Amino acid sequence: MQKIKSLMTRQGLKSPPESLSDLGAIESLRVPGKEEFRELRDQPSDPQAEQELINSIEQVYFSTDSFDIVKYELEKLPPVLNLQELEEYRDKLKQQQAAVSKKVADLILEKQPAYVKELERVTSLQTGLQLAAVICTNGRRHLNIAKEGFTQASLGLLANQRKRQLLIGLLKSLRTIKTLQRTDVRLSEMLEEEDYPGAIQLCLECQKAASTFKHYSCISELNSKLQDTLEQIEEQLDVALSKICKNFDINHYTKVQQAYRLLGKTQTAMDQLHMHFTQAIHNTVFQVVLGYVELCSGNTDTKFQKLQYKDLCTHVTPDSYIPCLADLCKALWEVMLSYYRTMEWHEKHDNEDTTSASEGSNMGTEETNFDRGYIKKKLEHGLTRIWQDVQLKVKTYLLGTDLSIFKYDDFIFVLDIISRLMQVGEEFCGSKSEVLQESIRKQSVNYFKNYHRTRLDELRMFLENETWELCPVKSNFSILQLHEFKFMEQSRSPSVSPSKQPASTSSKTVTLFEQYCSDGNPFEIQANHKDEETEDVLASNGYESDEQEKSAYQEYDSDSDVPEELKRDYVDEQTGDAPVKSVSRETLKSRKKSDYSLNKVNAPILTNTTLNVIRLVGKYMQMMNILKPIAFDVIHFMSQLFDYYLYAIYTFFGRNDSLESTGLGLSSSRLRTTLNRIQESLIAMEVSADPTATLTAAEERKEKVPSPHLSHLVVLTSGDTLYGLAERVVATESLVFLAEQFEFLQPHLDAVMPAVKKPFLQQFYSQTVSTASELRKPIYWIVAGKAIDYEQMLLLMANVKWDVKEIMSQHNIYVDALLKICQRQEV
């Protein structure tokens, strides 16, 4: 269209006017008639050639109307004019003009039907306007008639009625304003009653009413006062929200949430709640530790209140360390329990809101769902955040004091509290408590290394002072009866097998939060967790009870009760009729009483040292059970206890005599390998005199224990005692009993041992524990080899005349000698 306007300008025509002032110019334009358009269209033409002519028109012709075409063409003329070139250029312009004119004619003829149709629509519109003018005229005429029909009195009546209605409305407004002026008193009462939803609802209604009457001058001041009251309510609401962190109350929290919902600030409330929980954790731990520090310092100096929490923890005394830790965990439990109950409240009310939304209207559902989703994500994220804060606070407390100063029982007590706290954390947010585990693991390993080294030295002392006498225990003795193994009975139910337990109890485990949700505290148990039961494992004089001892004496009141085997020991060896010497009934009863205690009761054979090792194993397992991350270190130290005991038994009774080499020859290759491994890894040998090896040997000796020495009270060289047969039997069988107890504990050790370390446990049992019974052969063989002088017996047997001519009334000399040896040994 712009091209057409420019071409019309070149032909001396003006572009279409944009205002009514140019209508005269339009009328002066010469518009080709239909005949001329038809002639232009009827002329033979080549459309492609015409389009090329139009395209060849210079772009400047399509510029604005202010463009002067004549001036432009004159400026283009060369300095020297050529008539022929001018005529050719003029012909070209005429051809371009003809092409443009023909194009314009085509476009006009093409739009002719639309022009006719639009003209008809204008004519129709003119007719409608004329009809509307007639209707308006009639209406005015009827209004004049109505005006003349009403009297002035009727209009006055209507005016009075309208005034009455206005006055009634004004009276209602004044009563409302009077009520609004008195609302501040009611709002104060509702805030004192902690009725926050009601107070906010009333305040919002008053603000709405005040906005209705804002055209009254007295309302502006009231509106400002209501706004201040609403801000005051929000401040008190924030304080009420902070109280939830330490003592959750369902009714209180429900009111607070309803109030924030009325304010439309549920998301803000959740953000504030998490800030309050974080602040509550900090304030709680600080106040607990500060209370103990001030109590132990004996003064209330404010210098402690100005300390950072980390520095404050270093002022806790060892005597108050454990009570402070227990109270610290109790206080943190209250905070986490409040958060747990807060999540429960939201889960319950979200379900109720979802049900009511599905049954009712859908208005505001999207916004409600968005708020609900935000709160849910915030609460889930807050679980980990709060637990991390708790871990950091407890870790800081643990690092404030060196735990190596505590006794074993106190250290176990600390570990038990931390273990319970980690259990709380795992149930709270599913976290493995990496922060606490790493902190307590380092201290536990260091503590346990020193503790284990001390116990190994004590074990060496026990072994060197052990006389290897039988420790009298009951026939039904079990390590589970010892105080150190009580935790194993508490962790299982021996009376009811898992298969026989009710399905409900086996399928669902009650968590600590479910158990102590309404009352109690899991850390209150720790304060009184001392087993006051006495151990009833020792027998009295070899008998399990006084009644058993009395019945044993009654069995041998007569000589008839003495067994024939015992009588034969005191029959004349030559005649067989009279005893060699008189044996009193008391002697027989005392000897038979000893046989009864050993043979009839069938009590386990163990010594005081064996019992001490078993107790140590129980203590080690307590630590392992409380702190499973150090299970491998604990089991490794337990294996060293067994290794050292086994090596001591072998050292005392397997090689410390003249038949050592022969006894060792009876040992299996597996036993020899085990002994060599123990000697290389655990036993500290004599220090080398080489000065270059002194430093290396000193480093190795830190991890090793000197080889024990047999007590001088134990005599293994006397034939009267069968070269210490009794001591050998007690020592060897106590080792076998200890191995049996390790085998009994294997399932429990296997359950807590990390998977990557289980090959070590399997190797320990297969190569060490299982070889304990193999020590019997080399130890007992030494007695068998020394008890009888075999060379002398061979000489006596060689002097016997084996010609049987008559039945002798007495034994041969070698038989009498053997009987005397056996008789002496029996005595």
Side-chain angles (χ1 to χ4, degrees):
M1 195 64 186
Q2 186 68 25
K3 291 182 179 181
I4 296 172
K5 290 167 63 179
S6 300
L7 290 173
M8 292 173 63
T9 305
R10 289 178 56 192
Q11 296 176 18
L13 300 177
K14 293 184 178 180
S15 60
E18 297 179 359
S19 62
L20 295 177
S21 61
D22 293 332
L23 289 176
I26 294 175
E27 293 176 357
S28 64
L29 291 176
R30 177 183 176 277
V31 181
K34 293 183 179 180
E35 296 297 332
E36 293 180 359
F37 284 136
R38 189 176 294 109
E39 289 178 0
L40 290 172
R41 296 187 63 182
D42 292 342
Q43 292 178 1
S45 62
D46 185 1
Q48 183 175 0
E50 292 178 355
Q51 187 63 35
E52 291 178 356
L53 285 173
I54 295 174
N55 294 336
S56 64
I57 298 174
E58 296 184 22
Q59 191 67 27
V60 72
Y61 288 102
F62 299 100
S63 59
T64 59
D65 296 339
S66 61
F67 175 66
D68 191 350
I69 298 176
V70 176
K71 184 179 180 181
Y72 174 72
E73 290 295 340
L74 292 176
E75 289 177 353
K76 285 177 59 179
L77 294 176
V80 181
L81 299 177
N82 189 334
L83 181 61
Q84 185 179 355
E85 292 178 358
L86 290 176
E87 289 179 353
E88 290 176 358
Y89 184 67
R90 183 193 62 184
D91 295 338
K92 180 181 177 181
L93 291 177
K94 285 183 178 182
Q95 291 175 1
Q96 291 176 348
Q97 180 184 10
V100 171
S101 299
K102 189 173 184 304
K103 186 68 175 179
V104 172
D106 292 340
L107 292 175
I108 292 175
L109 290 176
E110 183 181 350
K111 300 296 181 180
Q112 182 68 22
Y115 167 74
V116 174
K117 185 176 180 180
E118 183 67 20
L119 187 60
E120 291 176 355
R121 195 178 70 82
V122 171
T123 305
S124 175
L125 181 60
Q126 184 178 4
T127 304
L129 291 174
Q130 291 176 354
L131 179 60
V134 174
I135 293 173
C136 289
T137 302
N138 294 335
R140 287 183 178 181
R141 187 174 65 253
H142 287 88
L143 285 175
N144 290 329
I145 294 173
K147 182 178 180 181
E148 295 174 358
F150 286 100
T151 62
Q152 186 175 1
S154 299
L155 294 176
L157 181 62
L158 292 175
N160 291 334
Q161 178 64 20
R162 180 175 176 274
K163 186 183 295 185
R164 180 176 178 274
Q165 296 294 333
L166 291 175
L167 291 174
I168 291 175
L170 178 61
L171 181 61
K172 291 181 179 180
S173 299
L174 292 175
R175 289 175 179 174
T176 304
I177 292 173
K178 183 179 180 181
T179 304
L180 292 176
Q181 295 288 350
R182 297 177 179 177
T183 52
D184 55 342
V185 179
R186 179 55 185 158
L187 285 174
S188 300
E189 294 175 355
M190 297 178 77
L191 290 178
E192 291 179 359
E193 297 171 358
E194 295 186 349
D195 186 9
Y196 303 109
I200 292 176
Q201 183 70 33
L202 178 59
C203 190
L204 293 176
E205 291 177 355
C206 290
Q207 281 188 331
K208 184 178 180 180
S211 63
T212 305
F213 303 108
K214 62 183 178 180
H215 49 280
Y216 296 106
S217 58
C218 60
I219 291 297
S220 59
E221 182 180 353
L222 177 62
N223 201 6
S224 177
K225 186 177 181 180
L226 288 174
Q227 185 62 32
D228 295 340
T229 304
L230 187 61
E231 293 177 358
Q232 180 183 357
I233 293 175
E234 290 187 18
E235 293 177 358
Q236 295 192 18
L237 196 59
D238 188 63
V239 174
L241 186 64
S242 64
K243 296 179 181 179
I244 300 296
C245 301
K246 293 184 179 180
N247 186 16
F248 183 86
D249 182 78
I250 295 179
N251 297 328
H252 182 75
Y253 189 68
T254 302
K255 291 180 180 179
V256 172
Q257 283 296 322
Q258 289 177 352
Y260 274 110
R261 190 173 300 175
L262 290 173
L263 292 173
K265 296 183 177 181
T266 54
Q267 297 184 18
T268 304
M270 191 52 54
D271 296 337
Q272 289 294 114
L273 181 63
H274 281 79
M275 291 178 58
H276 288 313
F277 268 107
T278 302
Q279 190 67 25
I281 292 173
H282 175 76
N283 293 339
T284 298
V285 296
F286 187 85
Q287 291 300 324
V288 171
V289 177
L290 178 63
Y292 275 91
V293 170
E294 291 181 346
L295 179 65
C296 296
S297 65
N299 57 59
T300 57
D301 193 353
T302 57
K303 68 176 184 179
F304 295 119
Q305 299 179 359
K306 299 178 181 179
L307 294 177
Q308 295 292 329
Y309 174 73
K310 181 179 179 180
D311 300 328
L312 188 65
C313 292
T314 60
H315 290 79
V316 180
T317 61
D319 294 337
S320 62
Y321 184 85
I322 294 178
C324 181
L325 178 61
D327 288 345
L328 193 67
C329 292
K330 288 180 185 179
L332 291 174
W333 160 262
E334 296 295 337
V335 176
M336 288 190 288
L337 179 62
S338 296
Y339 194 88
Y340 175 83
R341 297 185 66 185
T342 301
M343 290 194 66
E344 276 192 335
W345 186 93
H346 280 280
E347 290 177 359
K348 178 181 177 181
H349 285 73
D350 284 349
N351 295 332
E352 293 178 357
D353 293 343
T354 303
T355 304
S356 60
S358 61
E359 294 177 355
S361 141
N362 293 328
M363 296 179 61
T365 303
E366 294 183 359
E367 183 178 356
T368 304
N369 291 337
F370 178 78
D371 291 343
R372 190 182 300 120
Y374 177 84
I375 292 173
K376 183 178 180 181
K377 291 181 179 179
K378 192 74 175 179
L379 288 172
E380 291 175 352
H381 176 72
L383 285 172
T384 306
R385 177 183 173 184
I386 288 176
W387 175 236
Q388 288 294 333
D389 290 344
V390 171
Q391 287 188 91
L392 291 174
K393 296 300 181 184
V394 177
K395 177 185 175 182
T396 303
Y397 181 82
L398 293 175
L399 296 177
T401 303
D402 185 9
L403 298 183
S404 61
I405 64 176
F406 292 110
K407 297 180 180 179
Y408 179 81
D409 291 339
D410 293 336
F411 186 75
I412 288 294
F413 196 84
V414 172
L415 289 186
D416 197 13
I417 294 177
I418 299 302
S419 176
R420 181 62 62 93
L421 182 63
M422 289 192 293
Q423 181 184 354
V424 170
E426 186 171 355
E427 295 179 1
F428 184 68
C429 63
S431 172
K432 297 300 181 181
S433 308
E434 293 83 0
V435 177
L436 274 179
Q437 282 188 4
E438 185 63 24
S439 174
I440 200 65
R441 185 185 184 280
K442 291 180 179 179
Q443 298 194 57
S444 299
V445 171
N446 294 332
Y447 180 91
F448 199 66
K449 281 183 178 179
N450 298 329
Y451 179 81
H452 175 66
R453 176 66 192 188
T454 305
R455 300 289 81 77
L456 281 178
D457 293 337
E458 288 183 358
L459 178 59
R460 180 170 66 89
M461 182 188 67
F462 275 114
L463 290 170
E464 291 179 347
N465 292 277
E466 178 63 62
T467 58
W468 303 104
E469 294 180 356
L470 185 66
C471 179
V473 294
K474 294 185 177 182
S475 60
N476 62 346
F477 170 75
S478 171
I479 62 173
L480 297 179
Q481 298 171 353
L482 298 176
H483 173 76
E484 288 78 7
F485 291 90
K486 291 297 182 181
F487 74 94
M488 295 183 64
E489 289 186 344
Q490 295 172 1
S491 62
R492 64 176 187 169
S493 179
S495 59
V496 182
S497 63
S499 61
K500 295 181 180 180
Q501 290 180 353
S504 59
T505 59
S506 60
S507 61
K508 183 179 180 180
T509 303
V510 179
T511 64
L512 294 175
F513 286 94
E514 295 173 347
Q515 183 178 357
Y516 299 101
C517 183
S518 58
D519 188 23
N521 192 303
F523 298 98
E524 290 178 353
I525 302 175
Q526 308 301 323
N528 300 319
H529 186 55
K530 292 231 179 152
D531 200 348
E532 298 179 355
E533 297 182 4
T534 58
E535 295 177 349
D536 188 17
V537 296
L538 298 179
S540 175
N541 296 326
Y543 296 90
E544 299 184 19
S545 63
D546 295 338
E547 290 76 9
Q548 189 180 32
E549 182 178 5
K550 183 178 180 181
S551 63
Y553 275 105
Q554 292 176 353
E555 288 184 9
Y556 304 107
D557 282 342
S558 62
D559 290 340
S560 59
D561 293 329
V562 179
E564 292 297 328
E565 296 85 358
L566 192 60
K567 288 182 178 179
R568 283 199 296 268
D569 293 338
Y570 302 96
V571 175
D572 189 354
E573 299 171 1
Q574 294 182 354
T575 63
D577 298 329
V580 176
K581 55 182 178 180
S582 61
V583 181
S584 65
R585 183 164 39 188
E586 288 75 9
T587 303
L588 293 176
K589 288 195 293 183
S590 63
R591 294 185 60 196
K592 193 57 188 177
K593 174 182 174 183
S594 176
D595 293 341
Y596 179 85
S597 64
L598 290 176
N599 299 329
K600 297 291 185 179
V601 177
N602 294 325
I605 299 177
L606 68 159
T607 64
N608 289 328
T609 304
T610 313
L611 198 59
N612 182 62
V613 172
I614 293 175
R615 291 183 185 276
L616 279 179
V617 171
K619 290 182 178 181
Y620 283 24
M621 291 186 65
Q622 283 182 19
M623 179 174 289
M624 179 179 59
N625 186 66
I626 293 174
L627 196 62
K628 292 181 175 58
I630 66 169
F632 171 73
D633 302 283
V634 176
I635 294 176
H636 174 66
F637 293 148
M638 286 173 55
S639 68
Q640 289 185 349
L641 293 177
F642 186 86
D643 290 346
Y644 195 71
Y645 193 86
L646 183 147
Y647 185 82
I649 300 298
Y650 168 74
T651 303
F652 293 165
F653 304 104
R655 68 179 182 183
N656 288 348
D657 40 40
S658 59
L659 296 179
E660 176 185 354
S661 59
T662 308
L664 184 60
L666 295 174
S667 302
S668 64
S669 60
R670 186 175 62 164
L671 178 59
R672 290 195 297 272
T673 303
T674 300
L675 293 172
N676 291 333
R677 178 188 61 79
I678 296 174
Q679 182 173 327
E680 293 175 359
S681 62
L682 187 61
I683 305 303
M685 308 307 292
E686 295 297 331
V687 180
S688 174
D690 186 3
T692 59
T694 303
L695 182 60
T696 305
E699 293 295 330
E700 291 180 353
R701 287 177 65 86
K702 291 182 180 179
E703 304 295 332
K704 296 183 178 181
V705 188
S707 179
H709 301 284
L710 185 63
S711 173
H712 67 278
L713 299 177
V714 180
V715 180
L716 301 179
T717 58
S718 173
D720 295 338
T721 60
L722 280 179
Y723 304 96
L725 177 61
E727 288 82 357
R728 294 175 187 272
V729 170
V730 171
T732 306
E733 297 306 318
S734 68
L735 174 64
V736 174
F737 177 79
L738 183 62
E740 292 174 352
Q741 305 316 304
F742 268 84
E743 291 176 354
F744 170 74
L745 296 174
Q746 184 178 4
H748 185 81
L749 299 179
D750 188 69
V752 297
M753 175 67 92
V756 295
K757 300 294 184 180
K758 286 188 177 180
F760 167 81
L761 184 64
Q762 296 172 357
Q763 183 180 7
F764 168 67
Y765 273 92
S766 62
Q767 297 183 5
T768 305
V769 177
S770 61
T771 60
S773 61
E774 298 181 9
L775 274 178
R776 286 170 170 166
K777 189 173 183 180
I779 292 176
Y780 295 160
W781 193 90
I782 294 175
V783 177
K786 285 187 172 184
I788 300 176
D789 190 350
Y790 294 99
E791 294 182 357
Q792 181 65 26
M793 289 298 107
L794 288 175
L795 291 175
L796 292 176
M797 293 175 68
N799 295 330
V800 174
K801 295 180 180 180
W802 297 99
D803 297 337
V804 182
K805 294 182 179 180
E806 59 179 339
I807 299 176
M808 299 294 292
S809 61
Q810 61 183 8
H811 298 296
N812 290 319
I813 297 176
Y814 76 90
V815 175
D816 293 337
L818 287 174
L819 288 176
K820 287 181 180 179
I821 294 174
C822 294
Q823 178 181 347
R824 183 177 69 251
Q825 295 168 357
E826 183 68 23
V827 175

